[in-house]
Amino acid sequence: KGGQIVKAQIKNFKTYNSLPLYLIKDNNASFNINFGTTDNRILNTKDLFFKPTVSKNGETTVVSMKLNVSNSQFLEYRYEIKPNNYMVNFAIRSQGLSSVINSSNPINLNWSLNGFRNEKSLKTENTMYTKLYYKSDDDVDDLGAGKSDIINNLDWVSYKQHFFSSSLLSDTPFNKAAITSTDLVKDEERDTIFTKRFELQTPLALTNGELNYNLKWFYGPSDYNLLKTFEGTSLGETADLGWGIFGFLNKTVFYPVFNFLKGFLSNYGLIIILMTIVVRILMSPLVYKSYV
């Protein structure tokens, strides 16, 4: 139903109370396309049933979800899942629906997610680090809680929950995309399930009367070394490296040194000791003047 991802578990990670860590579970997320038809109906894909087929392309698993009008007319969600990869290729395509979709009505994509609480310190997780990030016109920015905005040329939106992120990326930028971030925590002393609600609503354009969008889903850790491997996306800028000059030093000095040492050593304790020595050597001129 809906052809959407209904469960996303991040393997090898646990919540603060040692439970499996899910970014999507129990209907906390919704992905929907709303459109009108030529016979004056309004359809929501989240309410309709798609026919699934699974195939393999080398090591890649291909899951095709088709909403069939007839054998030659359908709306397809196509997922390409690669092993050991947090990024899932996702395509939205229609075939033969130019006579079915009413192009005079707006076609809206809606994606919302209620972020699960994953950390013991709810205040730290929710107040400081859980944010909505987005990229527009080559700039990465964030949206504060309780705010909404209209963004043109939206390349991607990322629902970041401190150590983990849920992101939707598009090869074709979205125009007039509405993004919203809402704080769901009413009382930090209570056992809260969700931290924030994130929402994206954006119109989709037809190409020759059909839908044709190439997108990507990312569900995984907000790890700078991981995110920067997705070249051309700038997802690495959502990773928390510290503010101001500390973030600059972490990005340009400490991460490169750490990654260099990690190439030779597997013991993180020894790496930290060596990094401490390196930093002390680099800081020695300033430290010497301070002692004098």
Side-chain angles (χ1 to χ4, degrees):
K1 186 177 182 180
Q4 61 184 305
I5 298 172
V6 295
K7 186 178 290 186
Q9 178 186 356
I10 311 302
K11 294 181 178 180
N12 303 320
F13 288 95
K14 302 288 185 181
T15 63
Y16 73 95
N17 49 357
S18 300
L19 296 175
L21 196 145
Y22 291 92
L23 296 184
I24 301 180
K25 187 184 178 184
D26 298 334
N27 300 316
N28 73 310
S30 175
F31 182 82
N32 179 55
I33 295 178
N34 172 281
F35 61 93
T37 65
T38 52
D39 58 356
N40 297 319
R41 291 183 297 162
I42 300 298
L43 299 181
N44 292 284
T45 58
K46 67 179 182 180
D47 299 325
L48 303 175
F49 288 89
F50 289 66
K51 182 179 180 180
T53 58
V54 180
S55 60
K56 298 287 285 188
N57 183 9
E59 292 187 339
T60 301
T61 301
V62 179
V63 180
S64 172
M65 297 279 189
K66 286 186 178 180
L67 181 62
N68 291 309
V69 177
S70 67
N71 290 334
S72 60
Q73 295 175 294
F74 55 82
L75 173 67
E76 180 186 22
Y77 292 169
R78 181 183 174 90
Y79 301 87
E80 295 183 359
I81 307 168
K82 300 177 182 178
N84 304 313
N85 198 316
Y86 293 103
M87 192 75 80
V88 176
N89 290 337
F90 177 56
I92 301 173
R93 292 192 177 90
S94 67
Q95 178 177 304
L97 297 189
S98 58
S99 61
V100 176
I101 298 176
N102 187 349
S103 59
S104 63
N105 288 344
I107 304 170
N108 290 314
L109 180 154
N110 299 276
W111 176 41
S112 62
L113 182 142
N114 292 340
F116 286 117
R117 175 190 178 182
N118 295 316
E119 300 176 41
K120 187 171 185 178
S121 175
L122 174 61
K123 183 176 182 180
T124 300
E125 178 183 17
N126 188 47
T127 306
M128 299 178 63
Y129 298 110
T130 300
K131 295 181 179 180
L132 186 153
Y133 283 86
Y134 63 92
K135 180 183 179 183
S136 172
D137 293 325
D138 295 326
D139 291 326
V140 176
D141 206 345
D142 64 83
L143 185 73
K147 295 183 179 181
S148 60
D149 204 351
I150 303 295
I151 307 297
N152 289 317
N153 299 319
L154 180 70
D155 293 310
W156 53 254
V157 61
S158 181
Y159 303 160
K160 181 174 179 289
Q161 300 167 243
H162 196 181
F163 294 117
F164 304 92
S165 298
S166 306
S167 307
L168 178 63
L169 304 85
S170 177
D171 289 353
T172 304
F174 300 127
N175 286 316
K176 296 183 179 180
I179 54 175
T180 304
S181 175
T182 306
D183 196 341
L184 299 180
V185 178
K186 304 302 181 183
D187 184 354
E188 293 180 353
E189 300 300 322
R190 300 181 64 182
D191 187 14
T192 303
I193 297 175
F194 302 113
T195 54
K196 286 186 173 67
R197 177 175 177 82
F198 303 111
E199 297 174 85
L200 164 70
Q201 178 176 314
T202 182
L204 298 180
L206 294 173
T207 303
N208 297 322
E210 303 286 353
L211 287 170
N212 191 356
Y213 279 83
N214 291 318
L215 306 102
K216 291 181 176 67
W217 291 109
F218 173 85
Y219 292 103
S222 301
D223 181 278
Y224 176 70
N225 283 332
L226 168 67
L227 294 175
K228 72 176 184 178
T229 62
F230 302 113
E231 297 180 359
T233 66
S234 301
L235 281 175
E237 295 189 34
T238 66
D240 181 57
L241 300 180
W243 59 271
I245 190 172
F246 300 106
F248 174 78
L249 290 174
N250 281 330
K251 187 175 182 179
T252 59
V253 179
F254 294 113
Y255 260 100
V257 172
F258 181 84
N259 290 332
F260 174 78
L261 294 175
K262 193 169 66 172
F264 298 95
L265 302 169
S266 59
N267 188 315
Y268 276 30
L270 184 57
I271 291 175
I272 292 173
I273 292 173
L274 291 175
M275 283 194 66
T276 303
I277 295 172
V278 170
V279 171
R280 298 291 286 184
I281 292 172
L282 293 175
M283 296 292 292
S284 59
L286 294 176
V287 175
Y288 175 75
K289 288 185 178 181
S290 176
Y291 283 149
V292 170

